[in-house]
Amino acid sequence: MTEIKILNAESSDYSQEAYSLLLSLGTVKQSDLDRKSLIKILPEYDVLIVRLGNYIDKEIINVAVKLKAILTATTGLNHIDIEYANQKNIKVISLQGEYEFLKNISATSEHTIGLLLSLLRNIPDASNSIKENIWDRNLFKGKEISGKIFGVLGYGRIGTKVAKYAQAFGAKVIVYDVRKITSNKKDIVIVDTVDELLENCDILSIHVPFNKSTSNLIDKSKIDKMKKTSIIINTSRGEIINEVDLLSALETSQISGAALDVLANEHISPIKQSHPLIEYAKTHKNLIITPHIGGATYESMHKTEVFMAKKLSEWIKSMNEGLH
């Protein structure tokens, strides 16, 4: 692996600093490839860099006859068939476990609050009304974060930041995490069960990783425990919420609203599949959806791309040392 070929398959606005680091490792092709184009050229490359635009499944892995590593600047990995990549001895290099580095990345935490404010204050509809030459504040009377009980499901890197932001708005924060945690943060209450969190919160903000234990974690039985005035914010992974049950809860006013940055199986381009939640959002004000832009800021992506390029460099160095 002294001379490697690197394919950056989702390189729009890619960090120049990170690109320079990649060039020091071998030859680099930067492009924005759809699935068909990726399958066509991937057999030539040793390293593949992706974001979330392509689902790296068995079909793609099988054509990648030279592939030794997949680089993804994400913590979630449900856009890659990890088990099959492991079977093929392909190393997946990601941001999972990089806690110290990720403490300085705030994009998703900030977007969580942005979604919340957009929903509570009817910001998208109010803005759109101006484009229709309607100036009527009475149409868009909203609600405040201040004084609400803000439930944080998952008190990890993002959850702790969101809790801090919520407190700054004057909310009372309650937290549940599957780990046994203690908090030295003033005015944060740690509850013992998910049900206790759901029963008490006005706002539920989801920040747990997607795995077998969290798949469909928020289903009808859980939503039914929430207040009818409560709202759900999800910037984690779509698969954590049972979307059929969420849609039903919105339609029947079992909860007041939801704001989502993620959808289940979003790698199959749900907007092209007439997704039920997207169709509902087109005609209802109590659901806002954004296309997984939580981590998509220039600052955070620059930092993570440089960090990942350095991780790749270290991995290549360790592989080369192992050959001697």
Side-chain angles (χ1 to χ4, degrees):
M1 291 184 63
T2 53
E3 178 65 27
I4 64 169
K5 295 185 69 175
I6 301 169
L7 174 61
N8 188 352
E10 298 174 55
S11 61
S12 178
D13 294 318
Y14 193 75
S15 162
Q16 185 60 45
E17 182 181 353
Y19 178 58
S20 296
L21 287 169
L22 294 178
L23 285 174
S24 70
L25 303 176
T27 60
V28 182
K29 178 177 176 59
Q30 297 217 112
S31 189
D32 286 304
L33 303 175
D34 60 17
R35 184 178 181 86
K36 183 178 179 180
S37 301
L38 179 59
I39 288 173
K40 183 177 179 180
I41 70 170
L42 185 55
E44 305 172 28
Y45 291 90
D46 304 292
V47 175
L48 171 64
I49 301 174
V50 293
R51 290 170 177 163
L52 296 169
N54 284 288
Y55 181 43
I56 310 305
D57 57 8
K58 289 183 180 180
E59 181 185 18
I60 288 180
I61 292 172
N62 279 336
V63 303
V65 291
K66 295 182 179 180
L67 197 64
K68 300 173 183 66
I70 300 171
L71 201 70
T72 179
T74 61
T75 52
L77 296 174
N78 56 327
H79 58 298
I80 300 171
D81 189 332
I82 298 295
E83 184 176 341
Y84 196 63
N86 289 338
Q87 289 178 24
K88 293 292 187 176
N89 293 316
I90 297 171
K91 175 71 173 179
V92 177
I93 303 171
S94 73
L95 289 171
Q96 279 195 352
E98 299 291 352
Y99 304 114
E100 287 303 312
F101 168 74
L102 290 169
K103 284 180 181 178
N104 298 313
I105 304 297
S106 59
T108 301
S109 308
E110 291 183 9
H111 188 60
T112 299
I113 300 300
L115 282 173
L116 175 59
L117 287 170
S118 296
L119 187 64
L120 288 178
R121 298 305 305 271
N122 301 301
I123 292 172
D125 289 317
S127 178
N128 287 334
S129 76
I130 299 303
K131 299 172 187 177
E132 300 295 327
N133 297 313
I134 299 171
W135 186 282
D136 188 348
R137 68 193 299 231
N138 294 319
L139 295 175
F140 306 106
K141 191 176 294 182
K143 297 177 181 179
E144 298 177 3
I145 300 174
S146 180
K148 300 295 188 296
I149 300 176
F150 194 107
V152 177
L153 178 58
Y155 197 54
R157 169 183 67 93
I158 296 176
T160 54
K161 283 183 179 292
V162 169
K164 178 181 177 183
Y165 297 160
Q167 283 188 306
F169 277 92
K172 177 184 177 181
V173 175
I174 61 175
V175 169
Y176 173 78
D177 195 285
V178 69
R179 302 165 298 159
K180 295 296 180 183
I181 58 171
T182 57
S183 175
N184 57 5
K185 306 289 177 60
K186 186 172 67 174
D187 299 330
I188 288 182
V189 177
I190 298 169
V191 299
D192 295 325
T193 65
V194 174
D195 288 354
E196 187 178 353
L197 185 79
L198 300 179
E199 289 165 1
N200 287 284
C201 69
D202 300 303
I203 300 160
L204 174 66
S205 193
I206 299 173
H207 305 289
V208 294
F210 171 59
N211 53 45
K212 289 181 180 179
S213 67
T214 61
S215 179
N216 286 314
L217 176 63
I218 306 301
D219 60 6
K220 184 180 187 302
S221 69
K222 297 297 185 187
I223 295 172
D224 285 348
K225 296 181 184 298
M226 301 179 72
K227 304 172 186 177
K228 290 186 180 295
T229 55
S230 62
I231 64 174
I232 296 173
I233 312 295
N234 187 16
T235 55
S236 184
R237 284 297 184 271
E239 289 82 356
I240 292 162
I241 299 179
N242 184 306
E243 293 180 341
V244 173
D245 294 347
L246 175 61
L247 179 58
S248 176
L250 292 169
E251 290 173 332
T252 60
S253 299
Q254 180 60 39
I255 59 172
S256 177
L260 314 172
D261 187 44
V262 287
L263 292 173
N265 300 312
E266 62 188 47
H267 53 266
I268 62 172
S269 299
I271 201 163
K272 297 177 183 177
Q273 303 288 332
S274 187
H275 193 287
L277 283 172
I278 294 175
E279 294 304 309
Y280 178 87
K282 290 177 181 178
T283 55
H284 294 79
K285 297 180 179 180
N286 65 339
L287 176 62
I288 294 173
I289 304 173
T290 52
H292 205 149
I293 61 172
T297 65
Y298 288 103
E299 296 90 345
S300 70
M301 293 180 81
H302 173 85
K303 290 176 186 176
T304 55
E305 285 159 1
V306 171
F307 183 79
M308 293 303 296
K310 290 178 179 177
K311 280 194 74 171
L312 177 62
S313 177
E314 291 168 2
W315 180 75
I316 291 172
K317 181 179 177 182
S318 68
M319 291 295 291
N320 286 335
E321 289 174 349
L323 295 174
H324 297 292

